[in-house]
């Protein structure tokens, strides 16, 4: 019904930048909040950044001042600009969206994940 497809991950040196994108498609009536989570090996998945439909944002403390989340509602896409990357940012990054489908069901969807690796 609804798919979230991420792109933009990869390998980068410490101090570098990457931009993640996540495009939603399918039976979508509207999208409320969208966000990015990450999971490092042996750790729990954590919220990195979240943006509401009105573009209010919140970030985990460890990325404040380095990452910027934004969205293009017309394209149903959320972005994560990651600057000044650190080795501890290495993780699989997952896109998340609260979607109201065309049959009026509100449900949370996840992307498949994209690997971000930061070398020291």
């Amino acid at each position: 019904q609804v798919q979230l497809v991420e792109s933009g991950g990869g390998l980068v040196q410490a101090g570098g930048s990457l931009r993640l994108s996540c495009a939603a498609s399918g039976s979508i009536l509207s999208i409320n909040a969208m966000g990015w989570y990450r999971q490092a090996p042996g750790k729990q998945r954590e919220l990195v950044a979240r943006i509401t439909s009105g573009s209010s944002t919140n970030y985990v403390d460890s990325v404040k001042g380095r990452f910027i989340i934004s969205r293009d509602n017309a394209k149903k896409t959320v972005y994560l600009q990651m600057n000044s990357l650190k080795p501890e940012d290495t993780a699989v990054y997952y896109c998340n969206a609260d979607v109201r489908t065309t049959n009026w069901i509100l449900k949370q969807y996840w992307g498949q994940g994209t690997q971000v690796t930061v070398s020291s």
Side-chain angles (χ1 to χ4, degrees):
Q1 275 190 332
V2 174
Q3 299 81 38
L4 300 181
V5 178
E6 298 129 336
S7 60
L11 173 64
V12 64
Q13 287 189 332
S17 297
L18 283 175
R19 190 192 194 208
L20 305 183
S21 300
C22 172
S25 63
S27 304
I28 299 170
L29 187 63
S30 63
I31 303 176
N32 297 336
M34 305 182 81
W36 290 94
Y37 289 71
R38 67 185 179 187
Q39 187 166 20
K43 294 188 176 181
Q44 289 189 330
R45 189 174 297 189
E46 66 169 353
L47 173 65
V48 176
R50 197 154 174 83
I51 184 168
T52 68
S53 57
S55 295
S56 295
T57 59
N58 65 284
Y59 299 88
V60 67
D61 286 346
S62 60
V63 309
K64 285 180 180 177
R66 300 188 298 123
F67 290 11
I68 300 171
I69 189 170
S70 61
R71 64 190 285 172
D72 183 329
N73 292 326
K75 294 182 178 180
K76 298 184 180 65
T77 298
V78 62
Y79 306 95
L80 186 68
Q81 178 66 43
M82 305 186 293
N83 302 319
S84 303
L85 282 160
K86 304 175 180 180
E88 51 264 43
D89 294 318
T90 296
V92 178
Y93 283 70
Y94 296 91
C95 174
N96 169 277
D98 295 332
V99 176
R100 187 170 297 282
T101 62
T102 51
N103 55 6
W104 288 90
I105 294 172
L106 185 63
K107 185 177 176 181
Q108 194 172 77
Y109 290 88
W110 292 88
Q112 80 284 358
T114 185
Q115 177 70 46
V116 171
T117 303
V118 184
S119 63
S120 56

